[in-house]
Amino acid sequence: MVVEKTIGFEMKNLFLPTILGVVCFSNFLFPFNPQTNANLKSSNLEKENDHVAKPAIRTTQAETVRKASEDLRLGKEGMRVGAAKLLGKYPSLQSSVTLVGALDDSSALVRRAAMVSLAEHSSNGHPLYEKSLVEKVFSKLGDSDVEVRREVSSMIPKLISGLMRGGMEITEINGRKVYRSVPARLRTDLFELTLRSFLDEDAIVRQNLLKYHPYLRVDLPASILIRLLGDDDSGVMLAALDRVSANADHPDVLAEIGRLSKNPSKGIRLKVIDVARDSSRHHAGYRSILRSMTKDEDLEVTSMAAVELARFGERIPKEVISDIKKYLLSSRGMNSQVTTILYAVSAMGEDGMEVYLSLTEHSSSRMRAIAWQRYLSMNKTLDQSSTWMSALKDRDKGVRDAVIVSLRGRIKDLNADEVGELVASEFADVRIFAGQSMVLAEEEILADYGFELLIDENPLVRSTTLRAFGMRRPPGWIAIMSKSLLDKDYDIQRAAMDALLGDRELGVEALLKYLEKNPTARISSLAKSELYRLGVQP
Amino acid sequence: MRIRNLLLLLIFISHCLQEVLADQINNSEYGIRIMQLLRSEKGTRRYPDALPSLLATMNEETTSRFDTDPLYLSDLTDERLMENPILYVNCDDQPNLEFSMEERDALRFYLEQGGFVYLDAGIKASFLGSDLGHSYAAWEERPEVRELFDQIYPDQPFLPLPRNHQIFRTVYKGLPNNKDLKIEADQKRLPETVLDFVEKEKWPQGTYSFVGLKVKGRLACVASPICAMGWGKDEFGAWIPPISFRIRESADDFDEKLKLASFSGGTYEVVREDGLKDVIYSESGHRPMWVQEPKGRWRIFKYYSGEEISNYAHAFYTRLGMNVFLYALLN
């Protein structure tokens, strides 16, 4: 490349006087030809650019793949590795065939690189589909190199569509062509290989086989499952636990799960709870395992086992409920496990209420919010403010909001002390709630506290109370609304206008008076259109 | 006189704020509350469990006590901003990084009064485009972040944090322990090529590409490629979601071969740690193909996935996240 460029440059230099001469002459003949001027400019630019290295010209994809395929077949080991890696960037049948061919290379490095590139083709949306090629790839589950086996085992889901294709074959019997269907299942030797691979010496291969064998429609024999449930590697053990359901009624599997329920690893024990819950429909023994796990030394395990039993409708002993309470109280906020337990406590009915009540004191605001919501929804004594008043003193607005949503519309007949407590709250949202409760409050209470809320510092408290006044219409309400129309706050004006519109006689009259005096006020145009809708000409 | 009074008032406010922050730090009843910017609760969030999981892990693995429920702020003018010492922002979760003048003022005031801001996904290599699930070690903040902070601190740029910075070793030092990677004495979970690249180039000594901004001599804001993807755990304590590795691999003849190999996509420049630029070759709809490094070396990108790789990445990102939050708390 470099040599060519040097020659080109020297050639140009050699003929430069002649070229320039021709250019000058043609310029002399055609002085106003823009095309010629442009050519001259570009020629000068080219001359300048010749000093800067030009990027090399890239080959076509077909040429790149052809060259890499050649290198992969004939090059030295390092070159073969490079070619295998490069072919991963060009998904096509040709490069796939070449890469599959390299899976029998004598060098493990080349085989690895080829397998990684085939996986790359799949990831980029070009999986192998030709059955014979896919079978070749899958057969590498028996490769001597562990990396190759790992890569194949993790590729199983991507190989399935090609591997499990059914089809048609033509055989000749006594000179006659016979068409026979080929079933969509693994070739016998590959099936045997899969069974052997469940017990591969590499833990990751074992784990991948456990995860993906259903894709291959290869059942996991109970004897192998039992061996894998006792595997040294926890990853394999967890993957095996996921596969219990198919053999859940096998007595040896049940015994093995019972043994694992005492495994020193908490993760395994939690997984056992999951398995025991799902398998309990196959054998009653799994419920016994769950019951025994409610005595686990770890409170999280105890709680999980207990809530699963509660979901089955079993009554949970007092001491276990106390353990659940202890666990939830000691947890430092919500995580998935805590969330599961927290919601599942509802299944304990009356006993669950006690747990929720204790959690209303939890340090986590999300936990307190859920506990309050659940507690109030299960509680039948909402008419007693002592049940919920403390919730409205919570430091977190999210908790208070959750409680107010649960209370709204469910409480009536608040007495003066209770309303007084709400009105005196430091939180605006609670005072808004107090304003809303004025709708149902006794007249005396409305008179005592309503006016206090009407002069609240928070405009939302004022507008909410004003709306309550509009609904209750206590003596003097027209005057209050008329004055409120003069408020600076639009929400207040709007609440007053809505209230006045609700009374076709006195209210509308007051509104008309206001419009007469304040025809250009902010609320006036809206008030006029609302009056038109009522058939009143302002 | 007026100016003096104003100054006295400012000093008083600042003193009060510092006391509030100190109170929060020592708040033994509830734990320290981390704030997270969440413009809208309705939008799709990439890793909603990430921060709570990280905070729970910090509670488990250190003596610190964090409230595992982040305090979500939708606006930086929220008065609660001044009540808590650390603000976490996942830049990928925001519809944009445009802040009103009031919010920028609040942010400046917060930083000047001792607050710390962690901009996760505050670094994002240009070739990633709208692809949110990738973390790539570029060494400069994303343009939106630069634009935002240019308006707050026009003369103060983000600077790369050196590998020996304290932030990378506040609690954990180095990469996750290899014992987790060993199946048997002579066998590791990760392929040798992957482990070698990770240890030497991707995350040397457990560090990553971070840039930081100092305010009054204190590191007050850091930006990193997305790390939250490595913090989440499911109910069995298993890491979610799966993470794969992008590894640079070479071969005998790549320096010549990749120069000439067929390519029809676009190239992107990405700033390296040394300030030079890598040129990334990427085709639309595909993962990046290869890289031309400034010293003339060409390497190809290969992608490795699997449970063991994912677990390793999660362990790394979680340790890194813990280091950042505890650094913020202690400095």
Side-chain angles (χ1 to χ4, degrees):
Chain A
M1 226 36 213
V2 176
V3 174
E4 274 175 19
K5 203 162 64 184
T6 311
I7 289 170
F9 183 60
E10 285 169 359
M11 294 282 274
K12 267 187 190 165
N13 276 346
L14 196 64
F15 292 104
L16 192 61
T18 320
I19 294 166
L20 281 176
V22 172
V23 168
C24 289
F25 181 62
S26 74
N27 232 15
F28 175 72
L29 285 177
F30 309 103
F32 302 109
N33 186 344
Q35 185 67 47
T36 316
N37 283 339
N39 286 344
L40 181 63
K41 266 186 199 167
S42 101
S43 159
N44 286 339
L45 203 65
E46 242 173 60
K47 201 172 76 182
E48 280 167 27
N49 284 349
D50 270 343
H51 296 284
V52 183
K54 282 184 186 167
I57 298 161
R58 290 186 173 274
T59 54
T60 61
Q61 182 166 330
E63 181 59 22
T64 304
V65 171
R66 191 198 60 74
K67 179 77 175 65
S69 303
E70 199 179 295
D71 289 348
L72 186 54
R73 279 198 307 275
L74 308 169
K76 288 182 182 168
E77 188 189 41
M79 197 177 259
R80 296 203 307 276
V81 170
K85 287 179 178 176
L86 185 61
L87 283 172
K89 303 296 175 194
Y90 304 101
S92 67
L93 185 61
Q94 192 196 339
S95 51
S96 295
V97 169
T98 313
L99 286 168
V100 171
L103 292 177
D104 282 334
D105 197 287
S106 57
S107 159
L109 288 177
V110 177
R111 295 201 304 274
R112 280 181 201 177
M115 195 58 87
V116 170
S117 286
L118 285 166
E120 196 173 353
H121 286 186
S122 287
S123 304
N124 282 331
H126 294 85
L128 269 181
Y129 200 57
E130 187 57 45
K131 191 165 184 172
S132 56
L133 294 178
V134 183
E135 283 177 342
K136 177 71 190 172
V137 174
F138 187 73
S139 72
K140 289 288 131 184
L141 204 52
D143 197 280
S144 57
D145 183 71
V146 66
E147 294 297 345
V148 174
R149 295 202 308 275
R150 282 181 180 182
E151 201 63 46
V152 183
S153 64
S154 64
M155 272 175 77
I156 290 173
K158 293 170 186 164
L159 297 176
I160 289 305
S161 56
L163 199 58
M164 306 305 283
R165 275 170 76 191
M168 192 70 83
E169 66 179 12
I170 305 166
T171 47
E172 217 172 277
I173 301 172
N174 296 332
R176 196 163 56 91
K177 279 182 181 173
V178 177
Y179 293 84
R180 288 197 304 204
S181 65
V182 178
R185 66 175 177 225
L186 271 186
R187 229 167 56 194
T188 317
D189 58 325
L190 297 179
F191 180 83
E192 297 293 330
L193 175 64
T194 310
L195 285 181
R196 281 200 305 277
S197 298
F198 277 122
L199 299 173
D200 191 283
E201 63 185 38
D202 183 67
I204 290 172
V205 177
R206 295 200 295 276
Q207 198 176 320
N208 284 340
L209 257 293
L210 274 167
K211 275 195 224 165
Y212 302 134
H213 73 90
Y215 290 90
L216 298 164
R217 296 175 211 161
V218 176
D219 291 335
L220 175 61
S223 57
I224 293 180
L225 174 66
I226 292 162
R227 280 182 70 176
L228 294 172
L229 283 171
D231 203 283
D232 292 338
D233 186 84
S234 62
V236 176
M237 207 190 281
L238 281 168
L241 277 166
D242 269 332
R243 296 286 167 235
V244 165
S245 58
N247 292 293
D249 52 357
H250 196 289
D252 291 346
V253 173
L254 177 67
E256 194 61 28
I257 298 294
R259 196 181 60 77
L260 286 175
S261 70
K262 295 177 182 66
N263 190 284
S265 157
K266 190 169 102 176
I268 298 282
R269 298 207 301 282
L270 285 170
K271 188 75 188 171
V272 166
I273 292 173
D274 209 34
V275 171
R277 178 197 60 213
D278 293 344
S279 306
S280 60
R281 63 179 182 277
H282 298 293
H283 200 293
Y286 290 101
R287 267 211 213 177
S288 306
I289 291 174
L290 281 176
R291 276 183 221 115
S292 71
M293 293 182 84
T294 59
K295 297 181 184 74
D296 195 281
E297 60 190 18
D298 188 284
L299 289 180
E300 186 178 346
V301 177
T302 305
S303 307
M304 269 316 277
V307 296
E308 295 304 352
L309 285 170
R311 282 169 169 170
F312 289 129
E314 285 198 21
R315 190 78 198 261
I316 307 299
K318 282 273 173 212
E319 60 274 15
V320 177
I321 291 178
S322 154
D323 282 345
I324 295 173
K325 217 188 293 182
K326 257 190 253 169
Y327 167 67
L328 289 172
L329 279 170
S330 62
S331 65
R332 295 177 177 181
M334 301 281 279
N335 55 39
S336 316
Q337 197 77 17
V338 170
T339 309
T340 308
I341 295 172
L342 188 61
Y343 282 109
V345 166
S346 299
M348 294 178 192
E350 292 275 306
D351 296 333
M353 256 175 77
E354 192 191 320
V355 177
Y356 285 130
L357 183 61
S358 61
L359 290 176
T360 58
E361 303 283 325
H362 198 278
S363 61
S364 155
S365 52
R366 268 176 69 198
M367 192 103 100
R368 290 200 305 280
I370 294 168
W372 271 117
Q373 275 179 320
R374 295 266 156 163
Y375 175 68
L376 293 175
S377 69
M378 294 163 90
N379 203 306
K380 293 184 183 103
T381 58
L382 287 189
D383 50 336
Q384 292 167 23
S385 63
S386 56
T387 312
W388 46 264
M389 190 61 87
S390 58
L392 298 180
K393 291 175 183 151
D394 197 284
R395 71 180 173 120
D396 200 291
K397 188 173 177 294
V399 178
R400 298 195 304 274
D401 283 347
V403 172
I404 288 171
V405 166
S406 303
L407 291 178
R408 205 173 279 145
R410 291 181 67 197
I411 51 164
K412 4 179 178 172
D413 302 332
L414 289 175
N415 65 36
D417 291 343
E418 288 160 351
V419 173
E421 208 168 334
L422 294 178
V423 170
S425 171
E426 60 177 306
F427 305 116
D429 45 310
V430 177
R431 298 200 302 280
I432 290 169
F433 178 58
Q436 289 162 346
S437 67
M438 288 295 143
V439 176
L440 296 171
E442 288 171 18
E443 273 184 27
E444 231 174 83
I445 296 173
L446 182 68
D448 286 350
Y449 293 105
F451 290 100
E452 203 169 317
L453 290 171
L454 280 179
I455 55 166
D456 196 281
E457 61 183 11
N458 186 298
L460 263 178
V461 176
R462 298 204 301 276
S463 61
T464 309
T465 313
L466 208 57
R467 286 184 188 279
F469 268 63
M471 290 166 86
R472 297 294 301 273
R473 300 181 188 170
W477 74 279
I478 295 282
I480 296 171
M481 298 302 161
S482 300
K483 280 192 179 165
S484 300
L485 283 173
L486 301 169
D487 200 288
K488 280 186 288 186
D489 199 293
Y490 186 76
D491 285 345
I492 307 283
Q493 288 181 319
R494 177 74 201 252
M497 183 198 76
D498 288 343
L500 290 171
L501 284 169
D503 185 332
R504 296 292 293 265
E505 290 177 18
L506 300 173
V508 168
E509 192 187 323
L511 196 55
L512 286 168
K513 270 187 201 164
Y514 168 79
L515 287 175
E516 205 178 305
K517 287 183 190 164
N518 305 280
T520 56
R522 195 163 41 152
I523 196 76
S524 296
S525 61
L526 180 65
K528 278 178 203 164
S529 65
E530 291 293 323
L531 284 168
Y532 276 128
R533 285 204 322 154
L534 289 176
V536 179
Q537 183 74 32
Chain B
M1 192 66 176
R2 260 193 197 166
I3 292 170
R4 204 188 67 179
N5 286 346
L6 190 68
L7 276 175
L8 282 173
L9 181 71
L10 278 176
I11 290 167
F12 175 72
I13 292 171
S14 141
H15 178 73
C16 291
L17 183 68
Q18 275 166 4
E19 287 211 338
V20 170
L21 291 180
D23 266 3
Q24 285 292 321
I25 290 165
N26 298 321
N27 190 333
S28 58
E29 192 190 349
Y30 297 111
I32 300 142
R33 204 138 192 226
I34 304 294
M35 298 175 292
Q36 181 168 0
L37 182 68
L38 192 63
R39 287 288 193 200
S40 162
E41 285 186 20
K42 288 176 189 163
T44 309
R45 289 173 63 200
R46 293 283 298 174
Y47 310 108
D49 290 331
L51 187 58
S53 283
L54 181 74
L55 297 172
T57 310
M58 279 200 272
N59 285 342
E60 279 163 24
E61 296 192 10
T62 69
T63 52
S64 61
R65 187 161 185 199
F66 288 89
D67 189 331
T68 52
D69 297 329
L71 175 64
Y72 296 106
L73 303 182
S74 59
D75 196 290
L76 293 183
T77 55
D78 190 320
E79 59 193 19
R80 293 175 297 175
L81 176 70
M82 296 299 166
E83 293 170 7
N84 298 284
I86 302 171
L87 171 67
Y88 169 78
V89 183
N90 181 342
C91 297
D92 277 346
D93 269 351
Q94 313 305 320
N96 57 53
L97 286 174
E98 288 164 14
F99 292 80
S100 65
M101 198 177 73
E102 291 78 15
E103 283 189 286
R104 294 199 300 268
D105 287 346
L107 187 57
R108 186 190 299 110
F109 188 64
Y110 179 69
L111 293 171
E112 282 170 7
Q113 298 309 314
F116 185 90
V117 178
Y118 177 20
L119 301 169
D120 199 4
I123 289 179
K124 191 172 179 186
S126 55
F127 72 89
L128 293 175
S130 57
D131 195 344
L132 301 177
H134 287 254
S135 197
Y136 189 88
W139 286 82
E140 62 182 349
E141 68 282 14
R142 60 199 283 174
E144 306 97 297
V145 168
R146 189 178 312 133
E147 205 173 298
L148 168 67
F149 279 84
D150 272 352
Q151 294 173 56
I152 301 174
Y153 293 108
D155 303 324
Q156 213 144 345
F158 275 90
L159 293 174
L161 300 189
R163 298 278 190 187
N164 62 358
H165 195 281
Q166 192 55 34
I167 203 165
F168 299 120
R169 53 186 71 196
T170 316
V171 191
Y172 289 106
K173 198 173 160 184
L175 282 161
N177 198 329
N178 270 350
K179 79 174 167 46
D180 301 330
L181 300 173
K182 277 185 183 164
I183 297 171
E184 284 160 16
D186 58 341
Q187 198 181 0
K188 287 180 177 168
R189 282 190 180 272
L190 300 191
E192 203 60 54
T193 42
V194 173
L195 199 56
D196 194 54
F197 178 76
V198 170
E199 286 176 344
K200 290 180 183 154
E201 294 188 58
K202 194 175 176 77
W203 301 326
Q205 295 103 45
T207 63
Y208 201 27
S209 59
F210 269 65
V211 293
L213 179 92
K214 283 191 171 181
V215 174
K216 293 184 177 173
R218 178 184 65 91
L219 183 64
C221 178
V222 294
S224 72
I226 182 74
C227 290
M229 66 180 176
W231 297 344
K233 277 183 180 174
D234 70 7
E235 60 193 46
F236 302 110
W239 297 108
I240 45 169
I243 298 175
S244 47
F245 275 166
R246 181 190 297 108
I247 302 294
R248 292 179 188 206
E249 291 185 357
S250 52
D252 284 356
D253 49 356
F254 271 176
D255 291 349
E256 285 307 314
K257 204 175 251 178
L258 294 182
K259 247 185 241 176
L260 302 174
S262 164
F263 172 75
S264 57
T267 55
Y268 301 84
E269 290 190 336
V270 179
V271 175
R272 291 155 51 101
E273 184 180 3
D274 52 15
L276 301 174
K277 285 180 180 172
D278 279 338
V279 181
I280 308 286
Y281 284 71
S282 187
E283 292 218 32
S284 160
H286 286 245
R287 290 159 160 180
M289 296 174 80
W290 54 71
V291 53
Q292 179 189 2
E293 295 172 354
K295 288 177 186 164
R297 185 156 66 146
W298 292 69
R299 287 195 284 176
I300 206 163
F301 287 123
K302 286 285 162 179
Y303 299 85
Y304 292 86
S305 55
E307 198 173 314
E308 57 290 343
I309 284 173
S310 180
N311 288 350
Y312 187 74
H314 276 283
F316 166 76
Y317 283 121
T318 297
R319 289 159 60 113
L320 188 64
M322 287 166 71
N323 276 344
V324 173
F325 281 107
L326 290 166
Y327 173 86
L329 211 59
L330 299 171
N331 291 275

